[in-house]
């Protein structure tokens, strides 16, 4: 596939960096991008303040708590905002019919999906790190002001937990991209992400023990959240091993999405 030069002259091949630039233009021109990222920021700050004021005081009265975990608990809802944006990166094109134009310009579907995933992954990674560090710093400031024990980035495991939170959010966003490709509908993909990120972890403890332990240990969310733990729980995966399991889950779903994207009509 080639494209015409600026002055209508010779045709030049469409390179991968052209596809990346196109996907970046589409992503930043989506109104939902700004709205969703703002929502993620507001949720991060608001929930960090709430957890630090409420949950932090209650846990301290019970005889000790992890101040880093208190600050980073905002990920519970922020992950939904990031995953929704990942869904919209794909489903918005199907909803408007622009996917046909994209496939005409870039008929190699694997290249198109790879560009979408890379561009969104980079944006989600930056956003995730900003959210994680903002949540941590705001939460620790509240804990310190109220006289509760706080944590510093230089303490063992704290910096890794904060960076891990940002990495976790980026991977959940990429999972949203994959689910968007598989469903092609915004409502359906969002319902799946709500169920996967909120309902499955909520109801896992209610499963029989023979099921609950494997799901909680090797499931994408039970394993992935270990990277945010300053002191990992006994019997669970280590932080980076758990994050590796999450990456394998996300790459697996993206692989299935790529196969479906190649075989299915637009």
């Amino acid at each position: 596939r080639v494209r015409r030069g600026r002055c209508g002259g010779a045709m030049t091949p469409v390179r991968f960096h052209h596809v990346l630039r196109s996907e970046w233009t589409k992503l930043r021109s989506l109104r939902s991008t700004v709205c969703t990222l703002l929502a993620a920021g507001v949720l991060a700050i608001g929930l960090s303040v709430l957890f630090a004021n409420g949950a932090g005081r209650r846990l301290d009265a019970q005889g000790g708590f992890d101040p880093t975990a208190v600050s980073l608990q905002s990920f519970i809802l922020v992950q939904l905002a990031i995953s929704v944006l990942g869904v919209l990166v794909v489903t918005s094109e199907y909803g408007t019919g622009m996917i046909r134009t994209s496939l005409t310009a870039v008929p190699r579907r694997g290249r198109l999906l790879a560009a979408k995933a890379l561009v969104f992954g980079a944006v989600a990674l930056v956003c995730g790190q900003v959210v994680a560090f903002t949540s941590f710093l705001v939460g620790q400031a509240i804990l310190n002001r109220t006289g509760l024990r706080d944590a510093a980035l230089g303490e063992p495991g704290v910096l890794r937990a904060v960076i891990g939170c940002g990495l976790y959010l980026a991977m959940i966003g990429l999972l949203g991209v994959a689910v968007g490709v598989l469903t092609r509908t915004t409502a359906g993909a969002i319902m799946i992400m709500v169920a996967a990120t909120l309902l499955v972890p909520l109801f896992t403890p209610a499963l029989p023990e023979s099921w609950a332990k494997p799901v909680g240990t090797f499931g994408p969310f039970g394993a992935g959240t270990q990277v945010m733990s300053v002191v990992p729980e006994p019997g669970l995966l280590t932080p980076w091993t758990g994050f590796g399991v999450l990456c394998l889950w996300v790459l697996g779903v993206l692989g299935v999405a790529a196969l479906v994207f190649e075989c299915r009509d637009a």
Side-chain angles (χ1 to χ4, degrees), residues 79 82-87 120-121 124 167-179 193 250:
Q79 66 178 342
I82 297 292
S83 64
V84 166
L85 182 57
V87 166
F120 176 74
L167 292 172
Y168 172 87
L169 292 174
M171 296 307 296
I172 296 300
L174 286 174
L175 185 60
V177 173
V179 173
M193 292 308 300
V250 174

Side-chain angles (χ1 to χ4, degrees), residues 64-143:
F65 70 104
D66 181 358
T68 303
V70 170
S71 293
L72 298 181
Q73 278 183 317
S74 59
F75 87 90
I76 295 172
L77 290 182
V78 174
Q79 66 178 342
L80 185 57
I82 297 292
S83 64
V84 166
L85 182 57
V87 166
L88 292 174
V89 165
V90 177
T91 59
S92 60
E93 287 201 64
Y94 279 104
T96 60
M98 279 296 295
I99 190 65
R100 297 185 182 88
T101 304
S102 297
L103 290 174
T104 299
V106 188
R108 295 177 61 179
R109 298 189 176 201
R111 174 179 288 188
L112 178 62
L113 181 56
K116 284 184 181 295
L118 283 174
V119 170
F120 176 74
V123 172
L125 180 60
V126 172
C127 178
Q129 295 299 335
V130 170
V131 164
F133 277 93
T134 301
S135 298
F136 175 80
L137 295 175
V138 169
Q140 299 311 304
I142 297 294
L143 291 174

Side-chain angles (χ1 to χ4, degrees), residues 66 68-69 72 75 156-158 160-162 164-165 222-233 236-240:
D66 181 358
T68 303
L72 298 181
F75 87 90
V158 173
R160 185 260 304 150
V162 177
C165 181
T225 53
Q226 293 307 305
V227 77
M228 291 180 265
S229 301
V230 174
V231 181
E233 296 183 30
L236 298 181
L237 299 176
T238 60
W240 290 119

